[in-house]
Amino acid sequence: LQNYKNIIVIPDLHGGRDEYFAILKASKCVDAKLQWQAENTCLVQLGDICDRGYDSRSIYQHIAAMQAQAPAKNSKVLCLVGNHEVLNIVGLHQYTTQDEKNNFQTEDDPTPQALIRAFRPGGWVFNWIMQQTAMVQIGRIIFAHGDLPIELMSQTVEQINVKVMQAVKDFTVKGIEQLDPLLFEETHSILWCRQASFGGSEYESKFSEFLDR
């Protein structure tokens, strides 16, 4: 991606709608009406919009709207896939709150199953997630929900993205019993890995080589 004048990074939101809007206003990404206004700016949201909070539906809808608005200001809005997006897609909803379920109930789908249907293949959240990516590189900065596993550093950003998103798509055919390690195993998954925090000099060296390629 091009180098932007400003890069704004937003970590896990977990349904914190009001907190999300507060960040956007404080960073001057949006105006008083929550419309995109920042010029030559890249906003990167690192995934985990859902679970634990009260209103992820509004966040997904607003980010999708900003993705359409930002290019007019020579800007870009990126949203990466987090492990909690994948948990919901594969049907594991143990972190979903009742408030979050309630906020998914709208006139289009007023039933208690609205959230589950939204994340299922063919649902509106699932369809939007499949248009996103798992990692992105801007200059010498790598953005992802977790760390980049050493086991994946022989591949390019593009190759990793294709494989991770394909693994999500393949779930719809294979089922939860055959989940790809790219989605859930810490040593293989960019959604869960924490190697950078304890990998020491070996990790630093290999990661530097990855950036230099």
Side-chain angles (χ1 to χ4, degrees):
L1 291 177
Q2 71 181 68
N3 288 318
Y4 292 88
K5 181 179 179 181
N6 301 301
I7 299 176
I8 309 296
V9 184
I10 302 179
D12 306 20
L13 289 166
H14 287 302
R17 177 198 61 223
D18 295 343
E19 295 82 355
Y20 161 70
F21 288 146
I23 292 170
L24 293 180
K25 291 177 180 177
S27 60
K28 295 182 169 49
C29 285
V30 300
D31 59 22
K33 295 183 179 180
L34 298 177
Q35 301 295 301
W36 184 269
Q37 67 174 1
E39 296 188 9
N40 196 19
T41 296
C42 184
L43 173 67
V44 185
Q45 200 284 319
L46 300 179
D48 276 13
I49 291 172
C50 57
D51 287 341
R52 296 195 172 112
Y54 54 92
D55 187 8
S56 59
R57 179 186 64 83
S58 295
I59 301 175
Y60 284 122
Q61 291 178 329
H62 188 261
I63 287 181
M66 290 204 306
Q67 288 179 323
Q69 297 167 11
K73 298 290 187 178
N74 192 31
S75 295
K76 193 174 187 67
V77 176
L78 299 168
C79 187
L80 307 184
V81 179
N83 58 308
H84 279 264
E85 273 77 36
V86 175
L87 285 170
N88 278 265
I89 287 173
V90 304
L92 299 176
H93 300 284
Q94 61 266 43
Y95 299 103
T96 304
T97 68
Q98 189 59 51
D99 284 342
E100 190 174 16
K101 292 179 182 178
N102 293 343
N103 274 308
F104 263 84
Q105 294 177 234
T106 64
E107 290 184 3
D108 293 333
D109 190 349
T111 70
Q113 300 299 310
L115 180 147
I116 293 174
R117 274 194 283 270
F119 279 93
R120 282 177 180 167
W124 69 269
V125 177
F126 175 87
N127 290 341
W128 178 80
I129 288 173
M130 293 308 297
Q131 298 174 41
Q132 311 311 309
T133 190
M135 64 182 296
V136 66
Q137 181 172 1
I138 303 176
R140 288 182 61 82
I141 305 174
I142 296 289
F143 298 96
H145 185 68
D147 298 337
L148 176 61
I150 290 177
E151 290 75 7
L152 299 182
M153 289 185 186
S154 61
Q155 304 175 51
T156 66
V157 171
E158 292 76 15
Q159 289 171 331
I160 295 170
N161 273 326
V162 168
K163 289 183 178 180
V164 172
M165 299 312 294
Q166 187 62 47
V168 176
K169 186 177 181 180
D170 285 348
F171 158 75
T172 65
V173 177
K174 297 180 179 179
I176 197 168
E177 294 79 11
Q178 299 183 55
L179 284 175
D180 194 298
L182 282 171
L183 299 181
F184 279 101
E185 289 188 12
E186 184 172 327
T187 57
H188 292 84
S189 176
I190 199 166
L191 309 180
W192 295 83
C193 180
R194 297 293 181 268
Q195 288 179 359
S197 60
F198 57 82
S201 58
E202 179 188 7
Y203 187 92
E204 292 178 8
S205 175
K206 290 183 178 299
F207 187 66
S208 180
E209 292 175 6
F210 177 86
L211 293 176
D212 289 336
R213 288 206 306 272

